[in-house]
Amino acid sequence: MYLAIREIRFAKARYTLIATIMVLVAFLVLFVTGLAQGLAYDNAASIKNMAATHFVLEQHAEHRLTRSQLDQSQLEEASLIVGKENAEPLGVRMTTVSPSGDSAKIDVTLLAVNPEGWLAPAITEGSPLSDQLIGHVLVDEKLSDAGVKLGTILVDQASGIRWTVNGFVKNESFSHTPVVFLHKQDWLSLQAQTVTHEGTGSADHPSYNAIAINTANENVQKLQAALPHTEVIKKSEAVSAIPGYKEEQGSLMMMIAFLFVISAFVLAVFFYVITIQKTSQFGILKAIGTRTDYLVRSVALQVLVLSIGSLVISVLLVQLFEIMLPSSLPFQLGFTTLAITCLSFVIMSLAGSLFSVWKVARIDALDAIGRTAA
């Protein structure tokens, strides 16, 4: 340890350059990781926030909520198996709304829930939905940026139905669009209006997109057997099936993986070149009795000190940038994700130093001194 720290203090400019590069790479890794997590949450926040463990969807819907359609009889059958309090109907529809008297158009996702059930979200402002408030909705806080306030009337562009904003909720989005929660009775009215406009379907047979289930795993097989032409999926599967979710996350994860590889490669090259330059010094140290494992630990410790120091600075920079970022930019870097990313960065840095360790272990003291004498 003494040798490693002493050398860093002696060659300040050299190691400052390496540390600067490591800070930039670590900052980029952490920032992209936070962006990936933020985009993942923004894409499926409403589904992730639900207390449901499983969803019942129509068969061949490819796990997509928007492609599924279930009727009231299937909801009643599911309630008999898991209990009425553990099965909630869920309607999902993407549409465009406009504040009354305003030409602005806002893309939103409608989520129909039972206002007295456990799918109903917690409000941050206003009043919750209730059976006495038909025609009222809860909207995500992002709509306030478009001028939506309590009491604002939203007009559905497809059906012409009008809803009054009764309250705001936080972090509720689906497929990167803010969510509007409406009463299940308003959902049935919306279906009836759609039937009238499009001339298809039947208003006498209301349907939902999914049945949210909160139950133990042993009831899943019972549900699947009792509900033919349906499939019971986990919440994580419903999240992954949201359009663009897997593709978006796959691209970002590939970027993060390449950044880890690049950081390891850059670090390996820097330390390998430095090790070559110090071949004669290592040879002299070996000749006077310094053990190889001591020199190897010295090189590894230098990498460890630089990587941890760079990570500390990078974490502080990321937190500073997070404060400065606009609220519209999805960014989320939780403690667990931060810890895993930092640990992975340290491991990749140590892996990159293996070339230098290999070089130090192969140095022959006599050859190194001979080259110096020559």
Side-chain angles (χ1 to χ4, degrees), residues 285-301:
L285 287 172
K286 282 190 174 185
I288 62 177
T290 305
R291 296 172 57 181
T292 299
D293 60 343
Y294 178 82
L295 298 177
V296 168
R297 288 199 304 270
S298 175
V299 173
L301 182 62

Side-chain angles (χ1 to χ4, degrees), residues 72-221:
Q72 185 68 26
S73 63
Q74 291 169 312
L75 172 61
E76 294 172 356
E77 185 68 28
S79 299
L80 289 175
I81 297 173
V82 300
K84 189 174 181 179
E85 70 281 1
N86 294 321
E88 292 284 346
L90 175 65
V92 183
R93 177 177 296 188
M94 304 186 75
T95 186
T96 302
V97 298
S98 295
S100 181
D102 195 337
S103 59
K105 296 184 178 182
I106 309 170
D107 292 327
V108 300
T109 298
L110 303 177
L111 290 186
V113 298
N114 178 6
E116 307 297 334
W118 43 267
L119 288 184
I123 63 169
T124 58
E125 184 182 358
S127 304
L129 297 178
S130 67
D131 289 331
Q132 289 73 39
L133 290 175
I134 306 300
H136 290 68
V137 295
L138 302 177
V139 302
D140 185 76
E141 290 180 343
K142 297 184 185 70
L143 288 182
S144 61
D145 297 334
V148 176
K149 303 176 181 178
L150 291 176
T152 298
I153 297 176
L154 299 178
V155 182
D156 181 30
Q157 297 289 298
S159 64
I161 295 180
R162 302 160 70 89
W163 302 297
T164 302
V165 176
N166 201 61
F168 285 93
V169 294
K170 187 177 182 180
N171 296 329
E172 296 289 348
S173 56
F174 181 90
S175 194
H176 295 305
T177 60
V179 164
V180 174
F181 287 91
L182 64 156
H183 195 292
K184 64 178 182 179
Q185 295 300 324
D186 288 318
W187 173 260
L188 301 180
S189 300
L190 177 63
Q191 285 188 318
Q193 192 72 15
T194 303
V195 169
T196 303
H197 280 212
E198 299 179 359
T200 59
S202 173
D204 298 328
H205 296 85
S207 64
Y208 304 96
N209 292 91
I211 302 172
I213 303 294
N214 187 3
T215 185
N217 289 329
E218 54 264 22
N219 287 327
V220 172
Q221 292 183 350

Side-chain angles (χ1 to χ4, degrees), residues 4 8 15 18 22 267-268 271 297-310 345-354 356-357:
I8 292 176
Y15 287 99
I18 298 175
M22 292 182 69
L267 191 63
F271 272 92
R297 288 199 304 270
S298 175
V299 173
L301 182 62
Q302 287 180 346
V303 175
L304 190 62
V305 169
L306 289 174
S307 59
I308 292 177
S310 301
F345 186 83
V346 171
I347 292 174
M348 291 298 293
S349 299
L350 290 173
S353 68
L354 291 178
S356 299
V357 169

Side-chain angles (χ1 to χ4, degrees), residues 278-290 363-365 368-369 372:
K278 298 186 298 182
T279 298
S280 58
Q281 289 93 326
F282 281 128
I284 294 173
L285 287 172
K286 282 190 174 185
I288 62 177
T290 305
I363 291 176
D364 182 86
I369 293 174
T372 302

